[in-house]
Amino acid sequence: MTITKVPSPNYSEGRMNYTPIAIVVHIMEGSLEGTDSWFSSTISKVSAHYGIGKNGDVHQYVDEANTAWHAGRVNAPSWSLIKPASNVMYINPNLYTLGIEHEGKEDTDWTDEMYQSSSSMIKQLSSKWNIPLDRNHIIGHHEIYSLKTCPGNKVDLNKLIALASGAPVQPVASNNPLKILQIGNATSIVRLNIRQSPNRNQPAVSTKDTGMRLAYDGFTTQGESVNGNSKWFYTTEGNWFWSGGVK
Ligand SMILES: [Zn+2]
């Protein structure tokens, strides 16, 4: 893989004794060229470790050992491995993550070249930093900062992970899951994300606090497997929530 260095001044030296445990996937909402210049400017105060172009080009902005400024804000995080500092605060996720930006906008399709380069990069970072290739460790930016859709509505994170693992890429079965009608109620036992489909590929539509009573019309066992559990409930509104988050 050819990596073009485009050093950004926007980073913190070192990682305050943290090491990267996860890779955050971003979308640029623009071009690779535009991102190069935005990250090169001290005015932007943002960066990422890498940027991947639609044609597969790879640019490096920040050394992996340093803290890039890509996911420092936290809002209603759904990421299971987020590190709290107290009841209301979080350790800055930039300290323990690597960030990869991708050319395009939230609703533009990802090219094969971008999937190939990104998954090669993820594979490389995974083996170098001992980061497992799964959805707890390869995450979308919105899972840390829920007010953004980043990395958008088109990227299939499970496909990226499968490509990086060298596994055959399965079509996402959960796009058209077998629904079983069974009306009932459940109570959330975690802050629960309500989603448009039975997987975590897209941003949550809303989040329910712990202890909320939720009505459902039925379920599928063909949703995304989270901690080995692929059962998801669907609601009258056509939304979904994971059965592991309720009792
Ligand atoms: Zn982002």
Side-chain angles (χ1 to χ4, degrees):
M1 189 188 302
T2 312
I3 298 175
T4 307
K5 298 226 180 201
V6 187
S8 167
N10 305 322
Y11 68 91
S12 309
E13 194 74 35
R15 289 179 170 275
M16 291 178 69
N17 290 327
Y18 290 94
T19 51
I21 64 159
I23 298 167
V24 182
V25 175
H26 298 269
I27 191 86
M28 293 174 181
E29 288 302 326
S31 66
L32 183 64
E33 202 183 6
T35 300
D36 286 359
S37 87
W38 187 233
F39 286 178
S40 297
S41 160
T42 50
I43 293 166
S44 72
K45 294 192 165 55
V46 288
S47 63
H49 294 94
Y50 293 99
I52 314 266
K54 283 181 175 169
N55 61 1
D57 282 357
V58 180
H59 291 186
Q60 180 167 20
Y61 306 106
V62 175
D63 193 281
E64 292 162 27
N66 290 330
T67 302
W69 299 344
H70 62 103
R73 289 182 297 175
V74 178
N75 183 279
S78 55
W79 181 30
S80 61
L81 301 178
I82 193 120
K83 293 181 190 291
S86 71
N87 281 341
V88 289
M89 302 280 287
Y90 296 91
I91 307 281
N92 187 335
N94 286 336
L95 291 169
Y96 58 95
T97 58
L98 292 154
I100 308 180
E101 285 282 357
H102 297 83
E103 185 170 29
K105 300 195 172 184
E106 63 173 5
D107 285 321
T108 46
D109 285 315
W110 278 42
T111 61
D112 288 341
E113 291 80 6
M114 196 154 75
Y115 268 115
Q116 287 304 335
S117 282
S118 184
S119 59
S120 302
M121 175 55 66
I122 289 170
K123 179 181 183 173
Q124 201 170 299
L125 296 175
S126 152
S127 66
K128 183 167 169 188
W129 295 97
N130 207 14
I131 297 171
L133 291 169
D134 60 36
R135 281 290 282 111
N136 288 323
H137 298 86
I138 312 299
I139 63 171
H141 186 190
H142 69 82
E143 293 175 74
I144 290 176
Y145 189 70
S146 67
L147 301 178
K148 276 195 153 188
T149 59
C150 181
N153 308 313
K154 292 296 183 181
V155 61
D156 180 347
L157 292 177
N158 290 319
K159 178 176 168 180
L160 261 185
I161 292 167
L163 287 168
S165 316
V169 176
Q170 309 271 358
V172 180
S174 57
N175 277 348
N176 192 12
L178 179 67
K179 289 177 169 181
I180 295 156
L181 181 70
Q182 187 190 75
I183 292 168
N185 285 289
T187 304
S188 52
I189 54 173
V190 292
R191 273 181 64 82
L192 187 67
N193 287 306
I194 308 299
R195 297 185 180 276
Q196 285 171 298
S197 52
N199 58 59
R200 298 172 294 176
N201 292 344
Q202 313 228 331
V205 204
S206 64
T207 304
K208 302 290 182 192
D209 279 331
T210 306
M212 296 287 285
R213 196 97 174 124
L214 302 160
Y216 56 80
D217 284 359
F219 66 90
T220 184
T221 54
Q222 297 177 346
E224 183 190 349
S225 176
V226 181
N227 301 335
N229 176 358
S230 55
K231 183 177 176 181
W232 291 65
F233 292 107
Y234 63 91
T235 68
T236 304
E237 296 78 29
N239 292 322
W240 296 82
F241 56 89
W242 179 54
S243 70
V246 296
K247 65 174 183 191

Tab-separated table of all heavy atoms in Angstrom, residues 24-28 70-71 100-101 140-142 148-151, ligand 1:
chain	number	residue	atom	x	y	z
A	24	VAL	N	-11.922	4.256	14.420
A	24	VAL	CA	-13.144	5.019	14.160
A	24	VAL	C	-13.208	5.361	12.668
A	24	VAL	O	-12.279	5.952	12.113
A	24	VAL	CB	-13.191	6.311	15.001
A	24	VAL	CG1	-14.487	7.067	14.747
A	24	VAL	CG2	-13.026	5.993	16.481
A	25	VAL	N	-14.310	4.963	12.044
A	25	VAL	CA	-14.523	5.189	10.615
A	25	VAL	C	-15.314	6.488	10.429
A	25	VAL	O	-16.346	6.682	11.074
A	25	VAL	CB	-15.282	3.989	10.000
A	25	VAL	CG1	-15.628	4.236	8.542
A	25	VAL	CG2	-14.460	2.706	10.166
A	26	HIS	N	-14.793	7.355	9.564
A	26	HIS	CA	-15.423	8.656	9.301
A	26	HIS	C	-15.696	8.837	7.810
A	26	HIS	O	-15.067	8.193	6.973
A	26	HIS	CB	-14.481	9.811	9.677
A	26	HIS	CG	-14.082	9.882	11.111
A	26	HIS	ND1	-14.780	10.604	12.051
A	26	HIS	CD2	-13.019	9.350	11.770
A	26	HIS	CE1	-14.171	10.521	13.224
A	26	HIS	NE2	-13.097	9.763	13.087
A	27	ILE	N	-16.595	9.772	7.517
A	27	ILE	CA	-16.787	10.223	6.131
A	27	ILE	C	-16.405	11.706	6.089
A	27	ILE	O	-16.691	12.459	7.016
A	27	ILE	CB	-18.247	9.998	5.661
A	27	ILE	CG1	-18.397	10.208	4.168
A	27	ILE	CG2	-19.253	10.865	6.424
A	27	ILE	CD1	-18.084	8.984	3.345
A	28	MET	N	-15.738	12.100	5.013
A	28	MET	CA	-15.193	13.469	4.949
A	28	MET	C	-16.255	14.543	4.749
A	28	MET	O	-16.020	15.701	5.062
A	28	MET	CB	-14.183	13.568	3.796
A	28	MET	CG	-12.935	12.739	4.018
A	28	MET	SD	-11.878	12.765	2.552
A	28	MET	CE	-10.525	11.701	3.121
A	70	HIS	N	-10.081	13.675	15.999
A	70	HIS	CA	-11.153	13.225	15.095
A	70	HIS	C	-12.440	12.828	15.803
A	70	HIS	O	-13.509	12.789	15.195
A	70	HIS	CB	-10.660	12.049	14.244
A	70	HIS	CG	-10.273	10.842	15.054
A	70	HIS	ND1	-11.089	9.735	15.162
A	70	HIS	CD2	-9.171	10.576	15.793
A	70	HIS	CE1	-10.489	8.838	15.948
A	70	HIS	NE2	-9.332	9.323	16.344
A	71	ALA	N	-12.370	12.475	17.087
A	71	ALA	CA	-13.580	11.977	17.762
A	71	ALA	C	-13.546	12.369	19.232
A	71	ALA	O	-13.861	11.573	20.112
A	71	ALA	CB	-13.686	10.464	17.601
A	100	ILE	N	-9.901	7.003	10.719
A	100	ILE	CA	-9.735	6.947	9.259
A	100	ILE	C	-10.892	7.691	8.599
A	100	ILE	O	-12.065	7.361	8.813
A	100	ILE	CB	-9.732	5.488	8.722
A	100	ILE	CG1	-8.726	4.619	9.485
A	100	ILE	CG2	-9.416	5.475	7.222
A	100	ILE	CD1	-8.706	3.166	8.985
A	101	GLU	N	-10.550	8.694	7.817
A	101	GLU	CA	-11.536	9.451	7.049
A	101	GLU	C	-11.703	8.829	5.661
A	101	GLU	O	-10.779	8.191	5.146
A	101	GLU	CB	-11.063	10.904	6.876
A	101	GLU	CG	-11.206	11.754	8.123
A	101	GLU	CD	-12.653	12.212	8.360
A	101	GLU	OE1	-13.540	11.919	7.518
A	101	GLU	OE2	-12.881	12.858	9.394
A	140	GLY	N	-18.333	3.277	13.923
A	140	GLY	CA	-18.651	4.521	13.226
A	140	GLY	C	-18.571	5.684	14.205
A	140	GLY	O	-18.853	5.533	15.396
A	141	HIS	N	-18.188	6.834	13.694
A	141	HIS	CA	-18.045	8.029	14.542
A	141	HIS	C	-19.316	8.321	15.343
A	141	HIS	O	-19.259	8.702	16.513
A	141	HIS	CB	-17.695	9.214	13.618
A	141	HIS	CG	-17.369	10.482	14.346
A	141	HIS	ND1	-17.226	11.676	13.700
A	141	HIS	CD2	-17.177	10.751	15.658
A	141	HIS	CE1	-16.948	12.626	14.583
A	141	HIS	NE2	-16.913	12.093	15.776
A	142	HIS	N	-20.483	8.108	14.722
A	142	HIS	CA	-21.742	8.433	15.407
A	142	HIS	C	-21.969	7.577	16.651
A	142	HIS	O	-22.788	7.926	17.502
A	142	HIS	CB	-22.930	8.307	14.451
A	142	HIS	CG	-23.239	6.908	14.033
A	142	HIS	ND1	-23.971	6.043	14.814
A	142	HIS	CD2	-22.879	6.220	12.928
A	142	HIS	CE1	-24.058	4.875	14.198
A	142	HIS	NE2	-23.393	4.957	13.058
A	148	LYS	N	-24.008	13.296	15.144
A	148	LYS	CA	-23.554	13.230	13.752
A	148	LYS	C	-24.022	11.920	13.123
A	148	LYS	O	-24.198	10.928	13.828
A	148	LYS	CB	-22.022	13.251	13.696
A	148	LYS	CG	-21.419	14.637	13.749
A	148	LYS	CD	-19.962	14.568	13.327
A	148	LYS	CE	-19.501	15.890	12.733
A	148	LYS	NZ	-18.168	15.768	12.153
A	149	THR	N	-24.173	11.903	11.784
A	149	THR	CA	-24.474	10.633	11.106
A	149	THR	C	-23.182	9.945	10.693
A	149	THR	O	-23.203	8.796	10.298
A	149	THR	CB	-25.318	10.839	9.837
A	149	THR	OG1	-24.588	11.700	8.966
A	149	THR	CG2	-26.673	11.432	10.166
A	150	CYS	N	-22.067	10.663	10.740
A	150	CYS	CA	-20.763	10.149	10.312
A	150	CYS	C	-20.551	8.714	10.805
A	150	CYS	O	-20.753	8.468	11.999
A	150	CYS	CB	-19.661	11.055	10.871
A	150	CYS	SG	-18.010	10.558	10.398
A	151	PRO	N	-20.154	7.752	9.985
A	151	PRO	CA	-19.693	7.832	8.593
A	151	PRO	C	-20.789	7.742	7.530
A	151	PRO	O	-20.511	7.387	6.381
A	151	PRO	CB	-18.767	6.623	8.489
A	151	PRO	CG	-19.414	5.602	9.376
A	151	PRO	CD	-20.011	6.391	10.524
B	1	ZN	ZN	-16.578	11.678	11.744
